[in-house]
Amino acid sequence: SGAPGPRGHGLHQLELEAELRGLEQTRELLRKREQQLRRAEAAAREETHHAQELESLVEELRLERDGVEARLRTERTRAEAEANRLREEREAAEEELGAATELAIELNAAAQQVALLQRELASVRRRAAEAEAKLVAATGQAAQQARRHRDQLAQAVREATRDRDGAVAL
C-alpha cells in the first residue's frame, strides 16, 4: 500500500523530466559562459602582445637614440679638438692666407657634421617620444581592458558558481 499508484508514477516522471530540462539549460548556459571566458581571455592575450610589440619598438628607438647620442658626443669631442687644433694652426699661419682658408673650410665641415648629427638626434628623440607616448597609451588601454576582462571573468565565475549551486540544489 506504500507504493505509488499509476498517477503517482506519472507525476514523479514529470518532475524528473522537468529537473532534467533544468539541468540541460544550466549546462548550456555554462557552456556559453565558458565560450565568453575563452573569448575574453584571447582578447586579453592579444592586448598584452600588442603592448609588448610597442615596448620592443620603444626599446629599439632608445638604443638607436643612444647610439646617435654617443656618435654625437664623439663627433663633438673630435670636432672641438679639431677646432682647437685648427685655431692654433691658423694663429701660427695667419700670414699664409691659403693655409688659413683651407683650415677654415675644415672647421666649417666639422661644424656642419655636428649640425647634421644634432638634427639626426632631434629626429630620433622625437620618434622615441612618440613611440613612448603610444606605449603609455597602449599600456593604459591594455591595463584597462585587462581589468575589464578580469571583472567579466569574475562575474562569469560567480554566475557559473551560482548556476552550479542552483543545479546541485535541484
Side-chain angles (χ1 to χ4, degrees):
S1 75
R7 184 178 175 114
H9 270 304
L11 185 57
H12 184 64
Q13 174 128 7
L14 288 176
E15 288 173 352
L16 289 175
E17 287 173 1
E19 185 176 334
L20 185 60
R21 278 193 305 277
L23 289 173
E24 287 291 330
Q25 290 173 347
T26 300
R27 186 178 69 182
E28 184 62 21
L29 183 65
L30 290 173
R31 187 189 62 74
K32 287 179 181 177
R33 291 223 174 102
E34 181 182 12
Q35 287 175 343
Q36 290 171 343
L37 290 173
R38 286 191 180 134
R39 284 193 294 271
E41 186 179 29
R45 277 196 305 273
E46 181 63 31
E47 284 302 318
T48 300
H49 178 70
H50 183 60
Q52 288 169 345
E53 288 176 345
L54 285 175
E55 285 178 11
S56 295
L57 176 61
V58 166
E59 187 56 31
E60 285 176 28
L61 288 173
R62 277 191 194 125
L63 292 174
E64 186 178 341
R65 180 193 64 201
D66 292 347
V68 169
E69 286 175 344
R71 287 199 322 263
L72 178 61
R73 282 191 300 275
T74 301
E75 191 60 30
R76 265 196 193 134
T77 302
R78 192 197 65 75
E80 287 168 3
E82 182 73 5
N84 290 337
R85 185 188 66 78
L86 291 173
R87 273 194 293 280
E88 291 170 6
E89 285 183 15
R90 187 185 69 225
E91 290 169 3
E94 275 179 281
E95 296 171 10
E96 297 179 25
L97 181 58
T101 302
E102 186 178 320
L103 291 175
I105 289 171
E106 287 181 39
L107 180 60
N108 187 41
Q112 287 177 350
Q113 182 65 27
V114 168
L116 181 69
L117 286 171
Q118 285 173 328
R119 285 194 298 273
E120 185 179 344
L121 175 62
S123 171
V124 170
R125 282 181 175 157
R126 187 174 52 253
R127 290 190 350 244
E130 291 168 359
E132 283 181 276
K134 286 180 185 176
L135 175 63
V136 167
T139 301
Q141 287 176 350
Q144 185 178 9
Q145 285 194 332
R147 284 192 296 276
R148 193 172 35 233
H149 290 314
R150 183 198 62 213
D151 293 345
Q152 289 173 354
L153 288 171
Q155 179 65 29
V157 167
R158 284 193 297 272
E159 290 174 11
T161 301
R162 188 186 64 228
D163 292 345
R164 185 203 63 211
D165 290 346
V168 168
L170 287 178

